[in-house]
Amino acid sequence: MRRFSSRLALLVLAFLSCASSGQRTVLHQKQSPYTLIAVTEDAEGRRYLQFDESGALQSVVRPGQPLKLELPYTRVAMVGLAFVPKPQRILVVGLGGGAMPMFLRAVVPQARIDVVDIDPDVVDVAREYFGFREDERLKAHVADGRAFIEAKRPAYDLIFLDAYGPESIPEHLGTVEFLASVRARLTARGAVVGNVWEDPPNPLFSSMLRTWQAGFRQLYTFEVEANANRIFVGVPFPDKQSREVLASRAQSLEKQRGVPFDLSEMVMRGFADVTGREEPSGQVLKDKPVAPVESRPPTPVP
């Protein structure tokens, strides 16, 4: 369990002060086994999810309105649907308030969607405060994301990795060995979408970019306007995906699936093919070797 720091205590006080001034109402606040979870609501009915002392917004949701993706990075992340327009199976690692899986459930109703989060309290909060509902095609699983991916299960057409914070990167979810497991869980024409923070605040950004380049045959990035987020899309196949083709597919999604934002414009504005680009300050992230267990002589029995 993470301990409360003085910085965290100050954040909580600032949070409550903000709520008491009428800007947002605090609906829920709890220390889970993994993080401090706080839920607030503004005057327009938007609900906000925040973790620990980073101050970053994890989710902003209008309960009952799944097509309203409020955070810019969640909208840009839907470029994954331009790479795979008709996914049959989708995995989302990192539930938060459930904004992305609820949107995907609405726009690709034929898909089966698994969502995995390590924190059972986050899953409970998504259900109670953000309108997250499971059904025969949308299931939530409480598990470590890596263990879930490495378990034997059918392949996915789209995998979203949304478990990276601005400064807190789960080490075992950032290595090239982990990405190899993710790639092995993809269909032949599938894609992996990652929400990665730039530097600042994420000092590992260059290394994460290098690691994703090492993990996939092709790697594309998409800027999130006026935000420190960058969306990565890795694919296991060698043929190039052009900006124009992806934008055309995105435009079709807008018309056919009722996507209520200009996804094609986001593709055109933010697209970059970084497959072979070198990051001089980045190193490929690898699993730490397991220290050998020291052999000791048996304890004599008196």
Side-chain angles (χ1 to χ4, degrees):
M1 180 182 292
R2 300 179 186 175
R3 294 180 180 177
F4 281 94
S5 65
S6 57
R7 186 179 170 195
L8 180 54
L10 288 172
L11 175 71
V12 173
L13 288 174
F15 214 41
L16 293 172
S17 173
C18 173
S20 64
S21 68
Q23 295 180 33
R24 285 192 219 158
T25 302
V26 176
L27 302 180
H28 176 84
Q29 190 171 294
K30 180 184 178 181
Q31 178 71 31
S32 83
Y34 297 93
T35 188
L36 174 72
I37 301 172
V39 180
T40 57
E41 183 179 57
D42 67 16
E44 296 181 20
R46 286 184 293 256
R47 293 189 175 179
Y48 301 75
L49 178 67
Q50 289 177 272
F51 293 160
D52 60 47
E53 70 265 39
S54 70
L57 290 171
Q58 303 296 323
S59 285
V60 181
V61 172
R62 291 180 183 266
Q65 300 183 56
L67 293 180
K68 294 278 189 180
L69 287 177
E70 298 287 341
L71 290 180
Y73 91 85
T74 59
R75 296 194 289 271
V76 179
M78 292 307 134
V79 299
L81 292 172
F83 284 83
V84 188
K86 296 179 180 179
Q88 297 303 305
R89 289 180 57 84
I90 300 172
L91 172 62
V92 182
V93 178
L95 174 61
M100 290 206 298
M102 288 190 287
F103 177 90
L104 291 164
R105 181 70 182 90
V107 299
V108 282
Q110 81 282 359
R112 293 188 177 276
I113 304 170
D114 289 316
V115 190
V116 60
D117 200 290
I118 197 170
D119 195 334
D121 289 334
V122 169
V123 177
D124 290 342
V125 162
R127 290 168 177 156
E128 184 171 354
Y129 294 98
F130 292 91
F132 177 74
R133 296 289 180 270
E134 296 169 81
D135 57 30
E136 72 282 355
R137 290 188 173 271
L138 173 58
K139 301 293 183 184
H141 309 265
V142 176
D144 174 79
R146 181 160 178 171
F148 188 90
I149 285 171
E150 290 177 347
K152 189 174 182 181
R153 61 186 72 255
Y156 292 96
D157 303 297
L158 268 176
I159 297 176
F160 291 85
L161 301 179
D162 192 21
Y164 306 128
E167 295 174 308
S168 56
I169 312 298
E171 287 185 22
H172 68 305
L173 299 185
T175 66
V176 70
E177 292 87 354
F178 168 66
L179 292 180
S181 298
V182 174
R183 178 174 166 177
R185 198 57 61 218
L186 277 181
T187 55
R189 301 295 297 184
V192 178
V193 181
N195 170 39
V196 180
W197 292 74
E198 293 184 311
D199 183 13
N202 174 17
L204 290 176
F205 176 78
S206 292
S207 292
M208 293 182 78
L209 182 55
R210 283 290 297 276
T211 305
W212 278 65
Q213 287 172 328
F216 297 98
R217 297 287 296 275
Q218 298 287 325
L219 181 64
Y220 304 87
T221 66
F222 296 83
E223 292 182 0
V224 181
E225 191 174 16
N227 278 265
N229 303 79
R230 186 78 66 88
I231 299 302
F232 289 3
V233 181
V235 298
F237 47 84
D239 44 308
K240 292 287 186 180
Q241 303 295 290
S242 75
R243 183 198 311 256
E244 292 72 23
V245 167
L246 292 171
S248 175
R249 291 178 189 162
Q251 194 168 52
S252 296
L253 280 167
E254 294 164 27
K255 294 176 181 177
Q256 296 169 12
R257 306 290 176 88
V259 174
F261 48 85
D262 197 342
L263 185 60
S264 54
E265 192 273 335
M266 292 175 185
V267 171
M268 291 300 293
R269 184 186 68 240
F271 171 96
D273 182 349
V274 298
T275 302
R277 193 179 82 185
E278 247 187 76
E279 289 294 317
S281 61
Q283 296 182 341
V284 173
L285 301 171
K286 297 183 178 180
D287 286 346
K288 291 181 179 178
V290 178
V293 178
E294 255 184 68
S295 60
R296 297 179 181 177
T299 304
V301 178

